[in-house]
Amino acid sequence: MWGGRFSEPTDALVQRLNASVHFDRRLALEDIDGSLAHARMLSAQGILPADDLLAIEAGLAEIRAAIEADRFEWKVELEDVHMNIEHQLTAAIGPAGGRLHTARSRNDQVATDLRLWSLRNIDRLDAAVGDVQRALILLAERDGEAILPGYTHLQRAQPILLAHHLLAYVEMFDRDRGRLRDARARTAECPLGSAALAGTPFPIDRHATALALGFDRPMRNSLDGVADRDFAVELCAAAALSMIHLSRLGEELVLWSSQEFGFIQLGDAFATGSSIMPQKKNPDIPELLRGKTGRVIGDLVSLLTTLKGLPLAYNKDLQEDKEALFDAVDTLFDCLVVTARLLPACRIDRTRMRAACDDGFVTATDVADYLARRGVPFREAHHITGRLVGACIAERRTLPSLTLEDFRRFSTDFEADVLLAVTVEASVKARTSEGGTAPARVWAALTEARARLGFADTRQGA
Ligand code: ARG
């Protein structure tokens, strides 16, 4: 493609190192879409003869069909996806193929392709996160009445509804979708027409190509157009954070499916056995939600590091953007899809969850709240309750087993109704503050989440 200036062939190792076609061929369909939009614009602007446009359209259609049927012959000596396609086009249609690159450079071409690919994949990821949210909501509707201890420091803290716990993840994933959509708005600006870096003397119409490709508008500055990879960083960052949410969920599924917790059983399709220990059922898939998060964080760091210190405008370093971005998107997508399928296959053990609330003093806060409602300063109420819990531990007793006389040994502010206030069910029911775990709040939150996410309500009678 640039043979004119050179007298020696490229060194074989240089060719391999320099080539990107083995990974950037994933951009082939975006590259063809970009070329079609460019050629049509050139023709509309009187820069490309009409019969050349017809030949280019027919040639690119043929190439697209060959790529889709996996019979396109990719050549490493043609370096990248752009030159492979252009070379094949020229081989097929002759000089018209050589006119396609008028008023364009691979620099704006690759930036356009990658933005287009990102837009399409943001939409796929957004839908896949939505499927995880739907799975969480359906599980909350199926088993959400179950009461389990909520934890802080992984110590039993206060009882909560399972639905409340699951809805916490619905919220995280909602913000993830917001980040994807924010990134989308900034990705939807088209670099095409920036040419190599400085623009072009040809009378091109950048608005026409931008709109034809589904972008909102052309990018304002040609240097920025070819040098910027913010959009890829934003998508990687959104992917990394979404993976972190999956990782936290994965960690809880690992804990909950352990014999120590016994809160859930994973479906057999989402667990594996051990090659030596016949009794084992291992939570490999939740572990991988956790494990694969590291590589997506790595993808983000790799991309940031590539960009750091790069002078304007295009530099070959930018070719390193693609594998990180592809890996982040692929990994997140697969993890989202598997999570949406794994959640409904979980068996919830409501009895084990409820039993875990019985021996951890999870209603101690309710005892302190009880005294505070009777005018005891909360700090003092906290202290009295602490002594009461300490005595229970010493005597191997639990809060619900105490009599009114037991309570009154610690404070005469206790009346008979304290015995009702310290039950696990009363504790959950009492937390009626906005965003709290009281059933009325949680069922309303579930209905609201469904409406917000636009899911049809499938509950019986709803
Ligand atoms: N394969 C290159 C990349 O991915 C395309 C742009 C090459 N431009 C250039 N001037 N060498 O970045």
Side-chain angles (χ1 to χ4, degrees):
M1 293 272 172
W2 52 74
R5 190 190 181 297
F6 290 77
S7 53
E8 266 183 70
T10 318
D11 176 277
L13 175 59
V14 167
Q15 188 172 82
R16 182 159 65 78
L17 207 54
N18 198 41
S20 54
V21 64
H22 52 291
F23 54 83
D24 68 15
R25 46 188 278 197
R26 273 188 82 165
L27 299 175
L29 299 185
E30 284 75 21
D31 196 68
I32 290 172
D33 289 343
S35 289
L36 282 172
H38 181 67
R40 287 171 184 151
M41 178 279 292
L42 289 180
S43 165
Q45 296 297 105
I47 304 167
L48 183 75
D51 44 345
D52 282 354
L53 173 62
L54 288 179
I56 288 171
E57 285 177 330
L60 287 176
E62 178 51 44
I63 291 172
R64 185 197 298 270
I67 291 169
E68 282 173 343
D70 209 13
R71 54 179 167 75
F72 188 86
E73 216 190 304
W74 299 101
K75 296 195 178 122
V76 68
E77 53 291 4
L78 290 172
E79 197 180 319
D80 59 21
V81 61
H82 322 291
M83 297 212 284
N84 267 270
I85 291 177
E86 191 188 322
H87 188 269
Q88 180 55 38
L89 180 68
T90 305
I93 68 168
R99 293 207 179 92
L100 171 62
H101 214 52
T102 313
R104 184 176 80 167
S105 147
R106 273 189 299 155
N107 298 349
D108 59 341
Q109 190 177 355
V110 69
T112 304
D113 292 1
L114 198 59
R115 279 181 179 260
L116 211 46
W117 186 90
S118 297
L119 287 179
R120 292 171 181 176
N121 281 280
I122 284 172
D123 295 343
R124 276 174 73 225
L125 288 176
D126 186 32
V129 183
D131 289 343
V132 172
Q133 291 180 301
R134 183 198 311 264
L136 287 162
I137 286 175
L138 291 177
L139 188 57
E141 285 173 2
R142 195 186 78 192
D143 281 302
E145 288 164 349
I147 295 178
L148 74 160
Y151 292 79
T152 64
H153 312 269
L154 202 56
Q155 306 285 319
R156 291 174 188 167
Q158 291 174 348
I160 56 171
L161 288 179
L162 176 61
H164 196 51
H165 196 107
L166 297 172
L167 280 171
Y169 283 99
V170 172
E171 293 302 308
M172 294 174 229
F173 290 123
D174 227 34
R175 291 192 296 273
D176 290 343
R177 297 178 78 180
R179 272 180 282 273
L180 285 170
R181 287 171 193 174
D182 287 350
R184 191 185 202 295
R186 282 180 292 273
T187 304
E189 297 193 342
C190 187
L192 195 58
S194 299
L197 74 163
T200 170
F202 291 95
I204 59 172
D205 180 351
R206 295 192 56 210
H207 291 268
T209 43
L211 297 187
L213 289 168
F215 289 97
D216 292 343
R217 64 188 77 83
M219 290 181 74
R220 281 189 288 260
N221 181 292
S222 64
L223 285 172
D224 184 44
V226 294
D228 165 59
R229 293 295 182 275
D230 294 8
F231 69 96
V233 171
E234 286 194 55
L235 178 46
C236 265
L241 193 43
S242 205
M243 281 301 301
I244 284 168
H245 292 149
L246 287 175
S247 178
R248 297 182 76 167
L249 178 61
E251 166 65 5
E252 297 203 312
L253 296 175
V254 170
L255 286 173
W256 288 5
S257 62
S258 69
Q259 275 178 285
E260 281 67 17
F261 278 79
F263 287 180
I264 62 168
Q265 265 189 43
L266 296 170
D268 284 354
F270 300 95
T272 59
S274 155
S275 57
I276 173 167
M277 297 167 283
Q279 85 283 11
K280 291 290 290 287
K281 180 167 172 183
N282 293 330
D284 292 41
I285 298 306
E287 289 172 276
L288 282 173
L289 295 179
R290 207 172 54 187
K292 288 198 179 283
T293 300
R295 64 188 284 158
V296 178
I297 294 169
D299 292 330
L300 171 62
V301 173
S302 147
L303 196 52
L304 287 167
T305 311
T306 298
L307 296 176
K308 179 188 171 298
L310 279 191
L312 296 183
Y314 179 83
N315 301 271
K316 187 71 172 212
D317 314 44
L318 291 175
Q319 183 165 284
E320 294 294 311
D321 58 0
K322 288 167 209 64
E323 285 164 293
L325 184 63
F326 294 162
D327 185 71
V329 169
D330 289 346
T331 306
L332 175 60
F333 187 76
D334 285 352
C335 289
L336 289 167
V337 171
V338 82
T339 302
R341 290 169 45 193
L342 171 154
L343 287 170
C346 287
R347 278 227 328 262
I348 306 294
D349 191 332
R350 296 186 184 205
T351 314
R352 284 287 298 250
M353 286 185 171
R354 180 61 184 77
C357 296
D358 280 337
D359 46 306
F361 303 99
V362 291
T363 57
T365 314
D366 298 272
V367 177
D369 288 344
Y370 177 95
L371 291 175
R373 263 199 308 276
R374 269 152 193 76
V376 181
F378 185 79
R379 277 289 150 240
E380 198 180 314
H382 183 283
H383 186 74
I384 294 168
T385 310
R387 282 177 39 234
L388 195 147
V389 167
C392 282
I393 291 170
E395 295 164 26
R396 294 182 169 279
R397 300 186 63 184
T398 63
L399 287 180
S401 76
L402 299 183
T403 63
L404 177 57
E405 290 65 49
D406 294 328
F407 276 106
R408 289 181 68 92
R409 276 199 286 141
F410 294 89
S411 165
T412 52
D413 285 301
F414 287 120
E415 308 281 354
D417 55 352
V418 70
L419 301 179
L420 298 176
V422 297
T423 68
V424 166
E425 283 68 23
S427 168
V428 172
K429 213 170 160 190
R431 290 192 157 57
T432 52
S433 55
E434 193 171 335
T437 197
R441 284 289 187 187
V442 174
W443 307 140
L446 206 48
T447 305
E448 189 275 328
R450 257 189 180 285
R452 180 158 37 102
L453 299 170
F455 300 156
D457 202 328
T458 53
R459 275 172 299 170
Q460 296 208 321

